[in-house]
Amino acid sequence: MSRTADYLTELAEDAGVVAELEALTAYAAYTGNAEYAVETFEDAYCGQWDDLEDFAHDQLMETDAEYRAAMESCRGWRPSLDMIAWQCDYTHTTGGHVFRSV
């Protein structure tokens, strides 16, 4: 393990944060601050997705009844989304991890 990974692991353990090291490392690289990354990781981490658009569609299926009803009634249809708006609130890393802006 690298010194950075060791440091992140130690910070996470001290803070009681249970995190996949790969995801935590990606978030620390994104934020540029290991301490901040550990503090905010649990609020920011949204899981691992192939791309941000798949994440956005899944979130809408879970949280928006009208969207879900439209998707269920029109099998095979997938509406286009304003991905620029999603990118303002979420980040998708090269490893596939999605983080919410906190």
Side-chain angles (χ1 to χ4, degrees), residues 14-86:
D14 290 348
V17 173
V18 177
E20 178 188 328
L21 184 57
E22 179 186 340
L24 182 57
T25 302
Y27 188 55
Y30 170 69
T31 64
N33 183 314
E35 291 82 7
Y36 177 79
V38 169
E39 283 178 28
T40 59
F41 180 82
E42 291 178 336
D43 291 331
Y45 189 57
C46 298
Q48 195 167 10
W49 300 88
D50 289 335
D51 57 39
L52 188 58
E53 188 172 0
D54 286 344
F55 168 77
H57 284 287
D58 187 71
Q59 288 298 296
L60 289 169
M61 285 294 288
E62 289 184 20
T63 61
D64 188 319
E66 288 181 32
Y67 180 90
R68 186 173 43 257
M71 289 292 288
E72 289 171 352
S73 66
C74 301
R75 298 266 183 226
W77 173 72
R78 186 169 172 156
S80 61
L81 300 175
D82 181 355
M83 292 312 299
I84 292 172
W86 281 90

